[in-house]
mmCIF file of all heavy atoms in Angstrom:
data_model
loop_
_atom_site.group_PDB
_atom_site.id
_atom_site.type_symbol
_atom_site.label_atom_id
_atom_site.label_comp_id
_atom_site.label_asym_id
_atom_site.label_seq_id
_atom_site.Cartn_x
_atom_site.Cartn_y
_atom_site.Cartn_z
ATOM 1 N N LEU A 107 103.862 344.560 -2.976
ATOM 2 C CA LEU A 107 103.491 345.342 -4.170
ATOM 3 C C LEU A 107 102.387 346.354 -3.979
ATOM 4 O O LEU A 107 101.372 346.113 -3.276
ATOM 5 C CB LEU A 107 103.118 344.372 -5.307
ATOM 6 C CG LEU A 107 104.086 343.330 -5.689
ATOM 7 C CD1 LEU A 107 103.552 342.430 -6.741
ATOM 8 C CD2 LEU A 107 105.437 343.985 -6.178
ATOM 9 N N ASP A 108 102.601 347.501 -4.447
ATOM 10 C CA ASP A 108 101.455 348.546 -4.494
ATOM 11 C C ASP A 108 101.019 348.745 -5.928
ATOM 12 O O ASP A 108 101.421 348.111 -6.803
ATOM 13 C CB ASP A 108 102.017 349.951 -3.887
ATOM 14 C CG ASP A 108 103.239 350.498 -4.628
ATOM 15 O OD1 ASP A 108 103.402 350.207 -5.845
ATOM 16 O OD2 ASP A 108 104.103 351.248 -4.035
ATOM 17 N N SER A 109 100.062 349.731 -6.116
ATOM 18 C CA SER A 109 99.440 349.767 -7.449
ATOM 19 C C SER A 109 100.398 350.363 -8.478
ATOM 20 O O SER A 109 100.392 349.971 -9.640
ATOM 21 C CB SER A 109 98.303 350.850 -7.270
ATOM 22 O OG SER A 109 98.744 352.060 -6.879
ATOM 23 N N ARG A 110 101.353 351.122 -8.031
ATOM 24 C CA ARG A 110 102.496 351.505 -9.013
ATOM 25 C C ARG A 110 103.317 350.390 -9.378
ATOM 26 O O ARG A 110 103.661 350.318 -10.602
ATOM 27 C CB ARG A 110 103.263 352.547 -8.264
ATOM 28 C CG ARG A 110 104.499 353.214 -9.129
ATOM 29 C CD ARG A 110 105.148 354.397 -8.411
ATOM 30 N NE ARG A 110 106.397 354.779 -9.127
ATOM 31 C CZ ARG A 110 107.513 354.289 -8.730
ATOM 32 N NH1 ARG A 110 107.651 353.538 -7.715
ATOM 33 N NH2 ARG A 110 108.674 354.679 -9.357
ATOM 34 N N ASP A 111 103.616 349.453 -8.500
ATOM 35 C CA ASP A 111 104.450 348.260 -8.816
ATOM 36 C C ASP A 111 103.596 347.502 -9.865
ATOM 37 O O ASP A 111 104.204 346.907 -10.936
ATOM 38 C CB ASP A 111 104.673 347.494 -7.691
ATOM 39 C CG ASP A 111 105.641 348.222 -6.670
ATOM 40 O OD1 ASP A 111 106.611 348.898 -7.127
ATOM 41 O OD2 ASP A 111 105.403 347.996 -5.435
ATOM 42 N N GLU A 112 102.351 347.240 -9.551
ATOM 43 C CA GLU A 112 101.490 346.419 -10.339
ATOM 44 C C GLU A 112 101.503 346.979 -11.819
ATOM 45 O O GLU A 112 101.497 346.165 -12.818
ATOM 46 C CB GLU A 112 100.191 346.145 -9.768
ATOM 47 C CG GLU A 112 100.159 345.449 -8.397
ATOM 48 C CD GLU A 112 98.905 345.391 -7.771
ATOM 49 O OE1 GLU A 112 97.859 345.853 -8.306
ATOM 50 O OE2 GLU A 112 98.765 344.806 -6.653
ATOM 51 N N SER A 113 101.310 348.261 -11.914
ATOM 52 C CA SER A 113 101.255 348.882 -13.240
ATOM 53 C C SER A 113 102.549 348.535 -14.043
ATOM 54 O O SER A 113 102.508 348.385 -15.294
ATOM 55 C CB SER A 113 100.812 350.386 -13.270
ATOM 56 O OG SER A 113 99.658 350.505 -12.626
ATOM 57 N N TYR A 114 103.597 348.700 -13.325
ATOM 58 C CA TYR A 114 104.975 348.547 -13.910
ATOM 59 C C TYR A 114 105.126 347.046 -14.378
ATOM 60 O O TYR A 114 105.617 346.746 -15.494
ATOM 61 C CB TYR A 114 105.963 348.834 -12.798
ATOM 62 C CG TYR A 114 107.412 348.698 -13.294
ATOM 63 C CD1 TYR A 114 108.066 349.450 -14.284
ATOM 64 C CD2 TYR A 114 108.184 347.815 -12.601
ATOM 65 C CE1 TYR A 114 109.285 349.278 -14.597
ATOM 66 C CE2 TYR A 114 109.600 347.617 -12.843
ATOM 67 C CZ TYR A 114 110.083 348.383 -13.917
ATOM 68 O OH TYR A 114 111.377 348.226 -14.171
ATOM 69 N N ILE A 115 104.695 346.092 -13.456
ATOM 70 C CA ILE A 115 104.953 344.674 -13.761
ATOM 71 C C ILE A 115 104.140 344.277 -14.968
ATOM 72 O O ILE A 115 104.561 343.303 -15.700
ATOM 73 C CB ILE A 115 104.616 343.851 -12.467
ATOM 74 C CG1 ILE A 115 105.698 344.206 -11.395
ATOM 75 C CG2 ILE A 115 104.629 342.336 -12.800
ATOM 76 C CD1 ILE A 115 105.303 343.600 -9.995
ATOM 77 N N ARG A 116 102.950 344.835 -15.127
ATOM 78 C CA ARG A 116 102.178 344.396 -16.354
ATOM 79 C C ARG A 116 102.869 344.516 -17.647
ATOM 80 O O ARG A 116 102.454 344.013 -18.635
ATOM 81 C CB ARG A 116 100.865 345.245 -16.361
ATOM 82 C CG ARG A 116 99.851 344.872 -15.226
ATOM 83 C CD ARG A 116 98.351 345.544 -15.653
ATOM 84 N NE ARG A 116 97.495 345.142 -14.677
ATOM 85 C CZ ARG A 116 97.133 345.920 -13.608
ATOM 86 N NH1 ARG A 116 97.789 347.019 -13.443
ATOM 87 N NH2 ARG A 116 96.241 345.471 -12.835
ATOM 88 N N GLN A 117 103.969 345.419 -17.670
ATOM 89 C CA GLN A 117 104.708 345.655 -18.938
ATOM 90 C C GLN A 117 105.533 344.428 -19.326
ATOM 91 O O GLN A 117 105.989 344.361 -20.518
ATOM 92 C CB GLN A 117 105.642 346.856 -18.740
ATOM 93 C CG GLN A 117 104.863 348.069 -18.333
ATOM 94 C CD GLN A 117 105.897 349.205 -18.054
ATOM 95 O OE1 GLN A 117 106.863 349.283 -18.667
ATOM 96 N NE2 GLN A 117 105.586 350.079 -17.145
ATOM 97 N N PHE A 118 105.802 343.374 -18.440
ATOM 98 C CA PHE A 118 106.684 342.442 -18.620
ATOM 99 C C PHE A 118 106.072 341.122 -19.080
ATOM 100 O O PHE A 118 104.884 340.850 -18.802
ATOM 101 C CB PHE A 118 107.480 342.194 -17.254
ATOM 102 C CG PHE A 118 108.453 343.265 -16.946
ATOM 103 C CD1 PHE A 118 107.877 344.439 -16.205
ATOM 104 C CD2 PHE A 118 109.716 343.432 -17.493
ATOM 105 C CE1 PHE A 118 108.722 345.470 -15.889
ATOM 106 C CE2 PHE A 118 110.496 344.528 -17.195
ATOM 107 C CZ PHE A 118 110.018 345.424 -16.397
ATOM 108 N N ASP A 119 106.750 340.260 -19.715
ATOM 109 C CA ASP A 119 106.361 338.921 -20.083
ATOM 110 C C ASP A 119 106.423 337.866 -19.011
ATOM 111 O O ASP A 119 105.647 336.944 -19.048
ATOM 112 C CB ASP A 119 107.295 338.445 -21.362
ATOM 113 C CG ASP A 119 107.249 339.344 -22.446
ATOM 114 O OD1 ASP A 119 106.054 339.667 -22.920
ATOM 115 O OD2 ASP A 119 108.283 339.720 -23.018
ATOM 116 N N LEU A 120 107.283 338.187 -18.085
ATOM 117 C CA LEU A 120 107.539 337.158 -17.061
ATOM 118 C C LEU A 120 108.138 337.752 -15.707
ATOM 119 O O LEU A 120 108.944 338.672 -15.841
ATOM 120 C CB LEU A 120 108.457 336.012 -17.523
ATOM 121 C CG LEU A 120 108.822 334.907 -16.527
ATOM 122 C CD1 LEU A 120 108.662 333.516 -17.198
ATOM 123 C CD2 LEU A 120 110.307 335.070 -16.121
ATOM 124 N N VAL A 121 107.744 337.289 -14.650
ATOM 125 C CA VAL A 121 108.353 337.586 -13.367
ATOM 126 C C VAL A 121 109.140 336.351 -12.823
ATOM 127 O O VAL A 121 108.526 335.229 -12.804
ATOM 128 C CB VAL A 121 107.279 338.079 -12.258
ATOM 129 C CG1 VAL A 121 107.856 338.020 -10.899
ATOM 130 C CG2 VAL A 121 106.673 339.388 -12.610
ATOM 131 N N HIS A 122 110.275 336.495 -12.407
ATOM 132 C CA HIS A 122 111.061 335.345 -11.757
ATOM 133 C C HIS A 122 111.373 335.695 -10.350
ATOM 134 O O HIS A 122 111.804 336.817 -10.076
ATOM 135 C CB HIS A 122 112.293 335.232 -12.494
ATOM 136 C CG HIS A 122 113.242 334.056 -12.028
ATOM 137 N ND1 HIS A 122 112.799 332.620 -12.437
ATOM 138 C CD2 HIS A 122 114.253 333.923 -11.246
ATOM 139 C CE1 HIS A 122 113.722 331.913 -11.876
ATOM 140 N NE2 HIS A 122 114.540 332.742 -11.058
ATOM 141 N N THR A 123 111.150 334.704 -9.468
ATOM 142 C CA THR A 123 111.363 334.951 -8.045
ATOM 143 C C THR A 123 111.902 333.625 -7.428
ATOM 144 O O THR A 123 112.119 332.650 -8.236
ATOM 145 C CB THR A 123 110.133 335.512 -7.312
ATOM 146 O OG1 THR A 123 110.554 335.840 -5.985
ATOM 147 C CG2 THR A 123 109.047 334.456 -7.336
#
Side-chain angles (χ1 to χ4, degrees):
L107 301 177
D108 57 27
S109 58
R110 180 171 168 267
D111 296 321
E112 292 176 4
S113 296
Y114 178 65
I115 291 168
R116 283 193 183 96
Q117 305 172 32
F118 293 88
D119 300 307
L120 176 133
V121 166
H122 182 79
T123 189

